[in-house]
Amino acid sequence: MGWRRNLAAAALAVLAVGGPAQTQSPSLDAVVANAMTKTGARGIALAVIERGRPVFVRSYGVRNAAGEPLERNTIMYGASLTKSVFAYTVMQLVDEGKLDLDRPLATYLAKPLPDYGNLDAYGNWGDLADDDRWRKLTARMVLTHSTGFANFSFVEPDGKLRFHFDPGSRYGYSGEGMMLLQFAIEQGLGLDLGAEMQRRVFDRFMMPNTSLIWRANFAANLADGWKIDGSVEPHDERSRVRAAGSMDTTIGDMANFVAGFMRAEGITPRSRAEMLRPQLPITTARQFPSLAPESPPAARIKGLSAGLGVITFMGPQGPGFFKGGHNDSTGNTWVCLKRRSKCIIILSNDVRAEAAFPAIVRAALGETGAPWTWEYGTGAR
């Protein structure tokens, strides 16, 4: 039971270091404490943003099995929240005329995409040699997850990359698509994505503890993770820039990014509006498996669509958007209400916390109508 005492002590300790503008109702602390008790989750960090400013940044619980406290500047895995930050970077390139959302990515490359072969750092482009649909792929299709690829080629029975539907025709979550857009930016535009995101986002929004690759100084205050069975998974020291999900970050840094996003800082208001515009209706009952069959029209979730790097929805408080991030020991989400210009970010180093996300978001924002069943299935409550 020693870890429970450490957990309680750590939760009390971080109440004193939550940030300069703690205006959120104390009931949110109680909701998080209850969520951790019910789910067994060992660590949760969250931030609330109102009208482009962080008003609440707090962490609860522990960062590792030794019981060291999870803090505002503890390094946590961003997982697929990386994709939203990447999309923000892409829209800066669009604003500058370097990239066109609807220009085929193949036209940025010096040779046909399949001729690059199978590249461990990017993807198995050589597998597409017998299917010319690669010529149709655009940045918009990547950011709306409508490339036609599986999430990654390694989930295919034969490990080969292939199209499962015509590009642009429907939603199907794909990290492989993100890697294709990264490839086009790096190989076609001659840009180093890690350096671009550092300059354009992490430096701009004062995110000193965020990076797409591992940094040695992260080790001093690092979050390990807990899996669904309660076992501990050490933090992965990711050594390769991957737009699909290699970002390490902190709750304080993510609060700064989301606040800047809500102010449309760094991109034009038009581009931010384009990110949040419903681009492609989502037609599946669940997000995963990513190639699930489409539901009959009458059974689809009304108002659920792909934006650019985020998912848009319509709820009782009007339009909203969100993005999740997940692996075996990580649960993250970012949910915003457009009309109120209010958001919550939740980072957890314990995947069991995901079951409590709806309750935590409800405590911070009220009933949003966020599509929890689509995102997490029946486990969310």
Side-chain angles (χ1 to χ4, degrees):
M1 297 296 290
W3 71 265
R4 292 189 183 276
R5 287 192 295 273
N6 287 335
L7 178 65
L12 289 173
V14 296
L15 296 181
V17 297
Q22 301 293 354
T23 63
Q24 186 63 34
S25 167
S27 65
L28 186 53
D29 292 327
V31 170
V32 174
N34 182 59
M36 296 176 75
T37 298
K38 289 179 66 175
T39 64
R42 303 290 297 278
I44 294 176
L46 59 86
V48 177
I49 311 300
E50 292 185 359
R51 302 200 175 280
R53 295 288 183 271
V55 297
F56 182 94
V57 183
R58 193 165 293 179
S59 53
Y60 309 78
V62 297
R63 66 182 177 90
N64 55 28
E68 295 176 286
L70 184 68
E71 299 172 325
R72 175 176 174 154
N73 63 343
T74 296
I75 306 300
M76 304 178 75
Y77 179 40
S80 284
L81 295 184
T82 309
K83 294 178 174 70
S84 293
V85 182
F86 174 54
Y88 204 69
T89 307
V90 169
M91 295 310 292
Q92 292 185 17
L93 297 174
V94 171
D95 282 339
E96 295 165 10
K98 294 181 172 69
L99 193 69
D100 185 318
L101 288 173
D102 298 308
R103 176 179 167 183
L105 296 176
T107 64
Y108 291 96
L109 301 172
K111 56 185 179 180
L113 180 63
D115 288 2
Y116 288 92
N118 293 350
L119 304 175
D120 185 50
Y122 293 104
N124 294 350
W125 315 135
D127 294 345
L128 303 176
D130 295 328
D131 192 331
D132 275 356
R133 285 182 287 182
W134 58 265
R135 298 181 186 276
K136 301 178 181 180
L137 294 167
T138 67
R140 190 183 303 275
M141 292 173 187
V142 168
L143 296 178
T144 57
H145 291 279
S146 58
T147 58
F149 299 147
N151 194 0
F152 288 102
S153 58
F154 62 73
V155 304
E156 299 281 14
D158 58 2
K160 292 185 179 298
L161 183 64
R162 58 174 54 84
F163 289 101
H164 290 266
F165 52 81
D166 287 340
S169 63
R170 57 161 285 194
Y171 182 95
Y173 194 90
S174 179
E176 198 89 50
M178 296 289 166
M179 296 309 301
L180 174 60
L181 182 50
Q182 178 181 340
F183 182 71
I185 289 170
E186 295 193 327
Q187 297 296 315
L189 301 184
L191 300 176
D192 179 327
L193 182 65
E196 291 297 316
M197 289 181 66
Q198 182 68 48
R199 175 175 67 87
R200 294 171 176 275
V201 181
F202 307 151
D203 291 345
R204 176 188 295 275
F205 295 124
M206 293 183 291
M207 302 169 69
N209 295 307
T210 300
S211 176
L212 293 180
I213 58 172
W214 172 257
R215 297 196 327 231
N217 66 319
F218 285 172
N221 191 357
L222 183 68
D224 293 328
W226 278 268
K227 301 166 74 171
I228 196 71
D229 63 1
S231 61
V232 177
E233 182 172 68
H235 193 100
D236 188 357
E237 298 180 7
R238 293 168 178 83
S239 59
R240 181 177 294 160
V241 170
R242 292 181 64 81
S246 68
M247 183 176 71
D248 282 321
T249 190
T250 69
I251 190 61
D253 283 8
M254 280 303 298
N256 287 345
F257 168 71
V258 172
F261 180 96
M262 295 306 288
R263 297 192 302 268
E265 186 176 324
I267 62 173
T268 63
R270 179 178 179 179
S271 283
R272 198 194 72 133
E274 187 67 5
M275 288 184 70
L276 303 184
R277 181 175 67 83
Q279 303 261 339
L280 181 69
I282 290 174
T283 56
T284 56
R286 303 283 187 273
Q287 180 163 216
F288 295 104
S290 62
L291 297 171
E294 296 181 282
S295 300
R300 295 172 186 174
I301 302 171
K302 187 177 181 180
L304 185 63
S305 298
L308 300 179
V310 297
I311 300 300
T312 68
F313 64 90
M314 183 61 68
Q317 300 186 67
F321 63 95
F322 81 104
K323 181 70 185 81
H326 167 95
N327 74 359
D328 286 348
S329 58
T330 300
N332 300 330
T333 197
W334 163 29
V335 184
C336 292
L337 296 170
K338 287 180 65 178
R339 290 176 185 167
R340 291 177 61 192
S341 191
K342 188 170 183 178
C343 308
I344 184 170
I345 311 111
I346 307 174
L347 305 181
S348 179
N349 59 328
D350 192 323
V351 74
R352 294 172 294 185
E354 288 178 337
F357 284 2
I360 297 173
V361 171
R362 193 178 304 116
L365 304 183
E367 186 56 63
T368 63
W372 300 114
T373 300
W374 177 82
E375 174 78 352
Y376 295 118
T378 57
R381 54 183 180 271

